[in-house]
Amino acid sequence: PDGEADTVLEPDVGAYGVISVVGHIVAGQIREMITSFLAGKNAEAAAIHRRLIPLVDAAFCVVNPIPIKFMVNQVGFPAGPNRLPLVEPDEATAAKILAELKRHRIDLPVPV
């Protein structure tokens, strides 16, 4: 989780799947990571994992679900505003989240 180069996916513990906040916007890539791991392609799975770590970090830079809801709205999926006591991210945090969001391919099908 800390993004170090030697991060590897641990052997499964008898279950399949993941609970993933960023899965809201990169579900296809999460699926690809799991599929690669289950197929024994650990280096491929680990590469996807490492690539997504900065996005995961951005999704938790302030209290969840503020960042992910902001991301979903920014890519054009109408998630609506936060409910109090949660608020929109401040300007600096929003800029940080947007900068990271732009570095990734988004899998979320955005309505037109």
Side-chain angles (χ1 to χ4, degrees):
D2 60 10
E4 292 181 10
D6 61 350
T7 301
V8 295
L9 297 175
E10 295 296 326
D12 70 7
V13 291
Y16 293 95
V18 62
I19 297 172
S20 172
V21 171
V22 295
H24 291 290
I25 57 174
V26 292
Q29 294 164 73
I30 299 288
R31 180 183 60 235
E32 182 183 354
M33 178 180 68
I34 293 168
T35 301
S36 295
F37 178 71
L38 293 174
K41 299 176 182 177
N42 295 352
E44 238 177 77
I48 296 166
H49 173 74
R50 286 187 195 102
R51 186 181 72 240
L52 293 176
I53 286 173
L55 185 63
V56 172
D57 289 344
F60 288 94
C61 67
V62 293
V63 175
N64 188 39
I66 292 171
I68 194 64
K69 193 157 192 178
F70 179 75
M71 290 179 190
V72 169
N73 277 312
Q74 290 300 308
V75 300
F77 196 90
N82 289 306
R83 290 184 288 169
L84 293 174
L86 301 176
V87 295
E88 292 298 310
D90 62 47
E91 210 171 294
T93 303
K96 176 182 174 182
I97 294 168
L98 280 174
E100 189 56 44
L101 188 61
K102 289 178 182 176
R103 295 184 59 240
H104 296 272
R105 176 177 49 88
I106 304 304
D107 300 336
L108 180 66
V110 179
V112 276

